[in-house]
């Protein structure tokens, strides 16, 4: 729950080196209490609110500053708007942000970009100021969406850098667009598991279904090159990852699979712009490629040259296959036999 605590008169003072324009002129502040959100008080006189709806009110109520209370500590933010041409210069995505930025493309974000283009950015992002640059910890999709839509990027910025627990709390509470994919969460979970901690213990600690955690951790082991070939990697869900794991277990040579998939992608056509449907079409084609590789008969590699040498018990042979592989076999070789083998190699194969 979020309890409205009233207005404040003061606005957080920012370093002069952060010359980021703000469209808000009159000071008006709001306070959010993350500690209260974890409680289940039935307060009839107060409207139950979520973090994202309260963040949206920062824009609609012309708020200039926000204070978030977490574990009894008050963290101050200032509301800013950054013009689209300045977004990439004045902001970066924080290393703490769990999204894979290469997946944030005009295609994967076309719905979000269209919404921002038509209505503006409704819910501001969250970030911190460091060295004159604003680092986005929550809202990297909205950041890219504003760039694609050529609309101002709205963000609440603090001069204070946050610890990982606070960032995790923000990520779980404030996700106006969509939460990170299961693959991305698997990468984050892999780094969060403590040494000696079992998956079951970890799942209980972070309060996430154990089967989901297991799928995520298994998913992050998949070659990133394969994941990147999907039309929309951020939309790969649990069912697809489970099928993918079964398909990959049938292939011994991953390079052969990758080469075949890259050829397949070049000829793949789609009848819809829906990202989930495109991923489904790709997975069907992926399955066909795996079956073709699995069912293919191995090529025969017969001898091209088989040259015997030696005599008696000390006999051997040099074999060259059609693929060009050369192998030498000799039984109980003497020093003379080794010398003879070297001469044969120099004469027949190395000249």
């Amino acid at each position: 729950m979020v309890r409205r605590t009233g207005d404040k008169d003061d606005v957080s003072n920012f370093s002069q080196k952060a010359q980021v324009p703000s469209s808000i002129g009159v000071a008006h502040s709001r306070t959010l209490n993350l500690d209260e959100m974890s409680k289940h008080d039935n307060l009839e006189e107060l409207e139950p609110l979520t973090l994202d709806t309260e963040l949206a009110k920062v824009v609609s109520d012309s708020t200039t500053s926000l204070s978030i209370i977490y574990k009894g500590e008050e963290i101050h933010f200032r509301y800013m708007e950054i013009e689209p041409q300045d977004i990439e210069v004045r902001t970066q995505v924080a290393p703490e942000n769990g999204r894979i930025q290469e997946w944030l493309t005009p295609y994967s974000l076309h719905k979000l970009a269209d919404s921002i283009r038509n209505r503006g950015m409704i819910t501001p992002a969250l970030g911190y100021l460091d060295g004159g640059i604003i680092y986005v910890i929550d809202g990297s999709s909205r950041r890219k969406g504003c760039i694609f839509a050529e609309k101002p990027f709205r963000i609440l910025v603090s001069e204070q850098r946050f610890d990982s627990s606070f960032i995790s709390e923000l990520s779980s509470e404030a996700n106006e667009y969509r939460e990170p994919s299961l693959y991305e969460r698997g990468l984050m979970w892999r780094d969060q598991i403590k040494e000696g901690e079992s998956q079951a213990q970890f799942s209980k600690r972070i309060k996430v279904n154990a089967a989901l955690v297991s799928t995520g951790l298994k998913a992050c082991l998949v070659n990133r090159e394969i994941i990147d070939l999907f039309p929309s990697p951020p939309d790969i869900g649990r069912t697809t990852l489970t099928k993918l794991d079964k398909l990959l277990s049938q292939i011994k040579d991953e390079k052969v699979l990758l080469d075949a998939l890259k050829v397949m992608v070049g000829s793949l056509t789609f009848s819809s712009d829906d990202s989930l449907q495109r991923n489904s079409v790709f997975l069907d084609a992926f399955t066909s490629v795996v079956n073709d590789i699995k069912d293919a008969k191995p090529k025969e590699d017969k001898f091209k040259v088989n040259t015997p040498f030696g005599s008696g018990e000390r006999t051997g042979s040099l074999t060259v296959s059609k693929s060009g592989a050369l192998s030498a076999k000799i039984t109980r070789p003497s020093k003379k036999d080794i010398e003879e083998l070297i001469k044969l190699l120099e004469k027949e194969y190395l000249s």
Side-chain angles (χ1 to χ4, degrees):
M1 300 278 265
V2 175
R3 192 189 302 265
R4 294 181 182 175
T5 59
D7 296 344
K8 287 188 176 182
D9 293 324
D10 63 306
V11 179
S12 301
N13 292 318
F14 262 43
S15 168
Q16 292 299 316
K17 60 187 175 183
Q19 300 289 327
V20 184
S22 172
S23 64
I24 305 300
V26 180
H28 178 69
S29 181
R30 179 182 296 273
T31 300
L32 302 182
N33 193 331
L34 283 188
D35 297 337
E36 288 293 313
M37 294 185 72
S38 63
K39 299 178 182 178
H40 300 281
D41 302 319
N42 184 18
L43 303 174
E44 296 181 358
E45 74 279 10
L46 296 175
E47 178 187 359
L49 300 167
T50 59
L51 182 54
D52 60 339
T53 57
E54 276 295 282
L55 291 176
K57 285 183 172 62
V58 169
V59 176
S60 61
D61 293 354
S62 298
T63 302
T64 55
S65 67
L66 175 78
S67 295
I68 293 181
I69 299 173
Y70 177 69
K71 292 184 177 179
E73 182 182 1
E74 193 168 7
I75 302 172
H76 301 284
F77 293 82
R78 182 181 176 184
Y79 173 71
M80 296 183 174
E81 284 189 6
I82 303 173
E83 293 304 313
Q85 68 271 17
D86 297 327
I87 296 173
E88 291 187 286
V89 176
R90 297 190 178 277
T91 72
Q92 293 182 22
V93 177
E96 297 91 346
N97 186 290
R99 292 200 188 277
I100 296 174
Q101 297 304 301
E102 292 85 355
W103 292 355
L104 302 182
T105 64
Y107 171 71
S108 68
L109 294 179
H110 75 278
K111 291 183 180 178
L112 176 62
D114 285 345
S115 174
I116 292 173
R117 191 176 292 112
N118 295 327
R119 300 187 298 163
M121 184 177 166
I122 296 174
T123 305
L126 292 166
Y128 60 83
L129 187 71
D130 188 7
I133 297 294
I134 295 172
Y135 289 87
V136 181
I137 59 170
D138 185 83
S140 64
S141 293
R142 281 163 278 167
R143 174 183 178 270
K144 267 296 180 66
C146 287
I147 293 172
F148 296 146
E150 297 183 343
K151 293 291 183 179
F153 178 52
R154 294 165 174 169
I155 184 167
L156 288 157
V157 186
S158 173
E159 287 188 306
Q160 178 178 347
R161 189 161 181 168
F162 321 113
D163 62 27
S164 58
S165 63
F166 179 63
I167 292 171
S168 297
E169 183 78 12
L170 289 178
S171 296
S172 63
E173 292 288 354
N175 239 306
E176 185 266 344
Y177 179 48
R178 62 182 172 192
E179 64 182 352
S181 68
L182 188 51
Y183 182 88
E184 291 167 313
R185 280 180 283 165
L187 292 173
M188 291 187 285
W189 291 337
R190 182 184 62 186
D191 295 335
Q192 292 170 0
I193 292 182
K194 298 176 181 177
E195 187 176 352
E197 186 177 33
S198 68
Q199 283 190 22
Q201 292 169 329
F202 176 68
S203 302
K204 187 176 181 180
R205 176 165 65 85
I206 65 172
K207 300 177 183 178
V208 176
N209 178 273
L212 192 66
V213 170
S214 177
T215 302
L217 291 174
K218 191 178 291 185
C220 70
L221 298 176
V222 176
N223 188 331
R224 172 71 186 280
E225 285 188 74
I226 292 176
I227 298 293
D228 285 343
L229 289 174
F230 275 80
S232 185
D235 291 303
I236 300 175
R238 182 178 176 182
T239 301
T240 298
L241 288 171
T242 301
K243 290 180 180 178
L244 192 61
D245 180 59
K246 291 180 180 179
L247 288 170
L248 293 175
S249 66
Q250 302 174 44
I251 299 296
K252 293 181 179 179
D253 192 335
E254 196 172 90
K255 185 180 183 305
V256 171
L257 174 63
L258 262 172
D259 291 342
L261 288 175
K262 289 174 182 176
V263 172
M264 177 269 288
V265 167
S267 60
L268 203 59
T269 57
F270 303 98
S271 59
S272 170
D273 288 333
D274 182 77
S275 57
L276 292 176
Q277 187 171 347
R278 283 180 169 238
N279 279 354
S280 178
V281 170
F282 177 86
L283 186 62
D284 289 341
F286 191 113
T287 303
S288 297
V289 169
V290 169
N291 288 334
D292 289 343
I293 294 174
K294 184 179 63 174
D295 296 338
K297 294 181 179 179
K299 294 181 180 179
E300 294 184 2
D301 196 16
K302 294 182 178 179
F303 295 152
K304 182 179 180 181
V305 180
N306 189 12
T307 307
F309 64 90
S311 61
E313 293 181 345
R314 295 187 174 94
T315 59
S317 65
L318 278 178
T319 302
V320 181
S321 69
K322 286 187 175 180
S323 65
L326 184 148
S327 62
K329 182 179 179 181
I330 187 169
T331 305
R332 299 175 64 188
S334 65
K335 182 179 179 181
K336 183 178 179 180
D337 295 328
I338 301 276
E339 290 173 350
E340 183 182 346
L341 172 61
I342 292 172
K343 288 179 181 179
L344 185 60
L345 283 169
E346 289 175 342
K347 178 182 178 182
E348 300 292 337
Y349 305 104
L350 301 179
S351 60

